[in-house]
């Protein structure tokens, strides 16, 4: 059976695949999304959502992630072999939000909940995940991709051929996409590190629902321990657990819940009533990544492109950011507004980020396992570098900056006050007043379907030549906003999509614009500063790189 062509086929319906599909749909590009599992996955899995990812979900208009997500509880460490508390400390110390960074603290939300939220937004577009549908193989040409999939319908397997313009493989480390593309997946497997993670329902004397509990067996050398994080997503008595038992094959505990219960009792010497083992899986750190993120019309993202230790909580966050980076680029190419060469920047931008991410998470893993030279605080406290707010593409071939001669920094650069360079995360700015008198902020303007062109100008008239230059580009993928200083009066004759008065001064301050100066900042659909230029020539240089000719 052959189905009508679809612009994009997404293989794999985890967070990366769902974000890719939703970003494309927000751009008006239709998709099909398939997953080989016959049912939706359960389990908390990777629950930590860092600030940069929360920002991207805001741009995608998925407010439920922030609303449902919970602040990280304090970690409580116990005297080994007892339920006697030793100390409590935050994994991520609270940081007061700022006008430029309104989301400054991580949250936790179970992966099954996150995926359900994202699926509900796909369904608003009439797109449903096709479960029980496995990608078996594909062929590609200069015109498109032909994918062979197998659908499980009861006891019957139905083969289908899907024609698509593009294939996005988010089918995991063992998926077909990366393997058939022939991409390398170099790295290592840490066989000496084995842990069990899952969701469990229990009640125990001395185990409250306020803390993230960390217990160790008697001796305190980290040979055997368990962590319990309370989560109402599993139930009023639900916890996500992580069990570490050095030198022991813990995989047998996945299928023997009574043995698992007994092991937990040995580590936590208190009266425990086990209600249910909801889900469990063994985990061994694989630290690997591809040599490139795609070939031709086929791309990989998320676990299909990189796997690593869960220490640092960067996996899911990196995966959704892969998908966001790729999908807006596919959209403009699919619309015929840019040549396919734009898609090479997906690898150029994401490869350095993922390489540094693997270094960071592996360093945390090594420190965690070296218990003789570390403390609970040193192994479990997470610095702001992992918040990903400093992740940047300053080295990208499609960024233009006429105001800075600073060279590239590490892909996981740290935020610096008074520094903003093309390729950096675009800051927010509240207390902007629209021409109709309504307040707004930049984060409510940035969206994945268009570039936001911010024209900072002392008055509306000074912005006219820049706005005229924008008329040569497709208006469906651009939004212009003239940003005036607080002392200016907006003009009713401006041709900009928005005219904003910077009543609080946060936009001029955050974007380093002096009053009286004209400066243009182009913010990409993924919330990254694509260009900081002074006039028409710089603007045309940037869009010449992005909306390149089709020759």
């Amino acid at each position: 059976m052959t189905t009508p062509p679809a612009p994009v086929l997404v293989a794999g319906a985890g967070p990366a695949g769902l974000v890719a599909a939703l970003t494309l749909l927000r751009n008006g590009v239709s998709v099909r999304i398939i997953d080989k599992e016959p049912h939706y996955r359960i389990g908390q899995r990777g629950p930590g959502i860092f600030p940069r990812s929360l920002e991207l979900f805001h741009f995608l208009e998925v407010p439920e992630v922030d609303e449902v997500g919970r602040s990280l509880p304090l970690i409580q460490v116990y005297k080994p072999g007892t339920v006697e508390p030793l100390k409590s400390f935050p994994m991520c110390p609270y940081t007061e939000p700022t006008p430029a960074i309104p989301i400054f603290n991580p949250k936790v939300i179970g992966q099954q909940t996150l995926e359900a939220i994202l699926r509900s937004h796909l369904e608003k577009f009439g797109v449903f995940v096709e479960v029980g549908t496995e990608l078996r193989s594909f062929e590609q040409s200069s015109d498109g991709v032909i994918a062979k999939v197998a659908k499980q319908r009861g006891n019957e397997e139905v083969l289908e051929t899907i024609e698509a313009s593009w294939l996005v493989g988010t089918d995991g480390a063992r998926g077909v996409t990366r393997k058939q593309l022939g991409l390398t997946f170099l790295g290592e497997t840490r066989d000496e590190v084995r842990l069990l993670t899952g969701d469990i329902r229990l009640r125990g004397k001395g185990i409250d629902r306020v803390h993230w509990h960390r217990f160790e067996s008697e001796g305190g050398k980290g040979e055997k321990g368990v962590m319990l994080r309370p989560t109402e997503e599993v139930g009023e008595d639900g916890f996500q657990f992580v069990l570490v038992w050095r030198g022991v094959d813990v995989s047998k505990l996945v299928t023997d819940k009574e043995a698992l219960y007994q092991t937990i009792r040995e580590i936590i010497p208190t009266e425990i009533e086990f209600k249910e083992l909801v889900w469990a899986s063994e985990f061994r750190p694989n630290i690997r990544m591809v040599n490139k993120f795609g070939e031709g019309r086929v791309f990989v993202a998320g676990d299909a492109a990189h796997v690593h230790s869960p220490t640092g909580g960067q996996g899911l966050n990196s995966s959704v950011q892969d998908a966001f980076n790729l999908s807006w680029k596919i959209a403009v190419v699919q619309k015929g507004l840019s040549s396919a060469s734009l898609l090479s920047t997906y690898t150029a931008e994401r490869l350095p980020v993922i390489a540094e991410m693997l270094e960071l998470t592996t360093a945390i893993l090594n420190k965690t396992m070296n218990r003789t030279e570390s403390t609970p605080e040193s192994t479990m406290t997470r610095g702001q570098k992992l918040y990903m707010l400093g992740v940047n593409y300053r080295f990208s071939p499609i960024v233009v900056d006429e105001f800075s001669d600073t060279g590239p920094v590490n892909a996981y650069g740290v935020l610096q006050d008074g520094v903003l360079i093309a390729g950096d995360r675009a800051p927010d700015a509240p207390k902007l007043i629209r021409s109709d008198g309504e307040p707004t902020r930049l984060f409510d303007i940035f969206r994945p379907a268009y570039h936001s062109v911010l024209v900072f100008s002392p008055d509306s008239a000074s912005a006219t030549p820049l706005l005229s230059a924008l008329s040569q580009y497709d208006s469906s993928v651009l939004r212009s906003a003239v940003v005036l200083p607080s002392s200016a009066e907006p003009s009713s004759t401006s041709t900009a999509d928005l005219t904003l008065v910077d009543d609080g001064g946060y936009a001029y301050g955050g974007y380093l614009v002096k009053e009286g100066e004209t400066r243009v900042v182009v913010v990409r659909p993924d919330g990254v500063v694509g260009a900081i230029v002074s006039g028409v020539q710089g603007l045309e240089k940037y869009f010449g790189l992005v909306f390149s000719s089709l020759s």
Side-chain angles (χ1 to χ4, degrees), residues 76 78 83 85 203-208 213 215 268 270-271:
Q76 185 152 282
Y78 296 81
V83 290
R203 293 185 184 275
K205 187 176 181 180
I207 304 176
D208 62 43
H213 306 275
F215 298 96
I268 311 174
T270 191
E271 182 181 334

Side-chain angles (χ1 to χ4, degrees), residues 35-38 130-134 136 149-159:
D35 196 280
K36 69 177 181 180
E37 297 297 329
E130 301 174 42
V131 294
T133 304
E134 181 179 4
R136 291 284 177 82
V149 305
K151 293 176 172 285
Q152 202 63 40
R153 298 294 179 260
N155 295 323
E156 182 182 3
E157 183 177 85
V158 179
L159 300 178

Side-chain angles (χ1 to χ4, degrees), residues 45 57 65 93 99 106 197 200 242 262 280 294 442-443 450 494 542 548:
R45 301 177 189 267
F57 286 124
V65 179
T197 185
I200 198 167
V242 177
Q262 183 56 35
L442 289 180
F443 271 19
Y450 52 78
S494 174
Y542 171 74
S548 54

Side-chain angles (χ1 to χ4, degrees), residues 76-83 86 213-227 244 246 264 266-269 368 371 374-376 379-380:
Q76 185 152 282
V77 179
Y78 296 81
K79 181 179 178 181
T82 75
V83 290
L86 282 180
H213 306 275
R214 173 172 167 162
F215 298 96
E216 287 189 15
S217 58
E218 191 171 1
K221 296 182 179 179
E223 298 300 319
K224 184 161 56 172
V226 66
M227 292 190 68
V244 178
R246 296 196 190 201
I264 294 175
E266 291 172 5
I267 299 170
I268 311 174
T368 301
R371 295 301 303 279
S374 61
T375 64
T379 59
M380 299 199 67

Side-chain angles (χ1 to χ4, degrees), residues 482-524:
V482 173
V483 186
L484 303 173
S486 58
S487 58
E489 290 292 334
S491 169
S492 60
T493 61
S494 174
T495 59
D497 294 307
L498 285 171
T499 299
L500 307 169
V501 174
D502 187 18
D503 192 51
Y506 297 119
Y508 272 73
Y511 285 80
L512 311 181
V513 184
K514 299 175 182 177
E515 190 163 342
E517 177 184 31
T518 297
R519 182 179 294 203
V520 184
V521 180
V522 182
V523 179
R524 304 184 339 179

Side-chain angles (χ1 to χ4, degrees), residues 95-381:
T95 304
E96 190 68 31
T98 69
I101 309 172
I103 307 172
F104 218 151
N105 296 282
K107 291 197 170 181
V108 286
I109 180 172
Q111 189 169 323
Q112 69 180 45
T113 303
L114 173 64
E115 291 178 2
I117 290 170
L118 291 169
R119 287 195 302 269
S120 72
H121 282 271
L122 296 186
E123 290 165 8
K124 294 175 184 177
F125 289 89
V127 174
F128 295 81
V129 175
E130 301 174 42
V131 294
T133 304
E134 181 179 4
L135 176 66
R136 291 284 177 82
S137 65
F138 60 85
E139 296 178 355
Q140 64 170 314
S141 66
S142 59
D143 298 322
V145 181
I146 299 176
K148 305 289 187 180
V149 305
K151 293 176 172 285
Q152 202 63 40
R153 298 294 179 260
N155 295 323
E156 182 182 3
E157 183 177 85
V158 179
L159 300 178
E160 181 183 354
T161 299
I162 299 176
E163 296 181 7
S165 297
W166 313 93
L167 169 62
V168 178
T170 54
D171 46 353
R174 298 177 181 175
V176 168
T177 312
R178 186 196 73 252
K179 294 176 181 177
Q180 191 170 327
L181 276 180
L183 306 181
T184 62
F185 207 44
L186 301 179
E188 60 175 320
T189 300
R190 295 284 184 89
D191 286 317
E192 75 279 10
V193 181
R194 295 190 177 193
L195 55 84
L196 199 69
T197 185
D199 300 336
I200 198 167
R201 293 177 54 225
L202 62 82
R203 293 185 184 275
K205 187 176 181 180
I207 304 176
D208 62 43
R209 299 193 60 76
V210 176
H211 294 93
W212 193 335
H213 306 275
R214 173 172 167 162
F215 298 96
E216 287 189 15
S217 58
E218 191 171 1
K221 296 182 179 179
E223 298 300 319
K224 184 161 56 172
V226 66
M227 292 190 68
L228 295 172
R229 179 181 65 83
T231 170
E232 278 63 40
E233 294 173 43
V234 178
E236 62 179 12
D237 51 9
F239 293 85
Q240 180 187 25
F241 75 89
V242 177
L243 172 69
V244 178
W245 193 352
R246 296 196 190 201
V248 174
D249 182 2
V250 296
S251 62
K252 61 185 179 182
L253 300 180
V254 175
T255 55
D256 189 343
K257 68 178 182 180
E258 293 303 327
L260 173 61
Y261 294 166
Q262 183 56 35
T263 301
I264 294 175
R265 286 192 179 100
E266 291 172 5
I267 299 170
I268 311 174
T270 191
E271 182 181 334
I272 301 177
E273 178 188 4
F274 290 96
K275 300 291 189 66
E276 181 184 8
L277 177 61
V278 179
W279 167 84
S281 178
E282 182 200 6
F283 185 88
R284 280 180 286 178
N286 277 298
I287 304 163
R288 301 177 185 277
M289 67 179 291
V290 292
N291 56 319
K292 55 183 177 179
F293 279 60
E295 182 71 47
R297 290 177 170 268
V298 182
F299 303 90
V300 290
D303 288 353
H306 46 84
V307 293
H308 58 99
S309 163
T311 50
Q314 300 293 280
L316 185 151
N317 292 274
S318 293
S319 297
V320 300
Q321 291 172 43
D322 288 346
F324 211 59
N325 183 292
L326 171 64
S327 297
W328 76 262
K329 295 173 181 176
I330 288 180
V332 294
V333 174
Q334 177 63 25
K335 292 175 181 178
L337 302 177
S338 182
S339 72
S341 62
L342 176 66
L343 297 173
S344 66
T345 66
Y346 173 49
T347 289
E349 292 182 347
R350 293 303 294 169
L351 202 66
V353 172
I354 298 305
E356 187 165 348
M357 182 268 286
L358 292 181
E359 290 182 5
L360 286 169
T361 55
T362 303
I364 296 172
L365 173 66
N366 293 339
K367 191 173 186 178
T368 301
M369 300 310 296
N370 185 5
R371 295 301 303 279
T372 61
E373 299 180 6
S374 61
T375 64
E377 291 97 327
S378 67
T379 59
M380 299 199 67
T381 302

Side-chain angles (χ1 to χ4, degrees), residues 6 8 10 13 17-18 20-22 24-26 29-34 40 118-130:
V8 183
V10 179
L18 293 166
L22 182 56
L24 287 160
L25 290 168
R26 292 278 187 218
V29 176
S30 61
V31 302
R32 287 184 65 177
I33 179 168
I34 64 175
Y40 297 137
L118 291 169
R119 287 195 302 269
S120 72
H121 282 271
L122 296 186
E123 290 165 8
K124 294 175 184 177
F125 289 89
V127 174
F128 295 81
V129 175
E130 301 174 42

